[in-house]
Amino acid sequence: MTQQDYSVTSAVLAVGVFALLTLALAWANARFPQVRGVTHGVPVIIVRDGIPDSDRLRSERMSLDDLMADARQKGIRRFDEIELAVLETNGRVSFFTRAGGPAEGTPEQPGIT
């Protein structure tokens, strides 16, 4: 596979190997649910109650700047607004904000003078 071989036989062999590996992994994921955690990963909690877990961020190779950039895209300004942040298996971050804070809910009524 690393040599310059342009024959149809080597192309069929290469495609066949990858197809068999894909089918084998799909079968293993369907037959043995424990394997799914290894092949697909598991979600990781990276912020709890506004406090980022620096050890988890370091192990996932994610900086606080990257995390805050994702939060700003969701309209979150500060870490203390975040109740829970989960790094999903697809690389996206899910944010759960605090409910009932002063910035949320219905707007205040203007004062009557």
Side-chain angles (χ1 to χ4, degrees):
M1 294 192 49
T2 59
Q3 299 175 359
Q4 293 183 0
D5 185 9
Y6 298 112
S7 67
V8 175
T9 305
S10 65
V12 169
L13 183 63
V15 170
V17 166
F18 286 115
L20 283 175
L21 285 174
T22 302
L23 287 173
L25 279 175
W27 176 80
N29 284 329
R31 181 76 173 99
F32 307 105
Q34 310 90 305
V35 175
R36 186 168 173 79
V38 174
T39 59
H40 288 63
V42 292
V44 176
I45 296 174
I46 53 178
V47 177
R48 187 184 306 264
D49 295 325
I51 301 169
D53 188 346
S54 58
D55 293 332
R56 290 267 172 100
L57 288 170
R58 192 176 315 112
S59 69
E60 297 296 332
R61 293 184 176 93
M62 186 174 192
S63 68
L64 284 175
D65 294 333
D66 294 337
L67 179 61
M68 202 58 219
D70 285 343
R72 282 192 303 270
Q73 288 179 354
K74 301 288 185 184
I76 300 170
R77 297 181 196 183
R78 297 181 316 268
F79 279 119
D80 62 354
E81 295 176 18
I82 301 171
E83 182 178 353
L84 193 68
V86 179
L87 180 61
E88 302 292 349
T89 58
N90 62 2
R92 294 184 180 164
V93 180
S94 299
F95 293 98
F96 300 93
T97 57
R98 300 181 192 285
E104 295 183 27
T106 59
E108 294 182 19
Q109 297 295 325
I112 299 175
T113 56

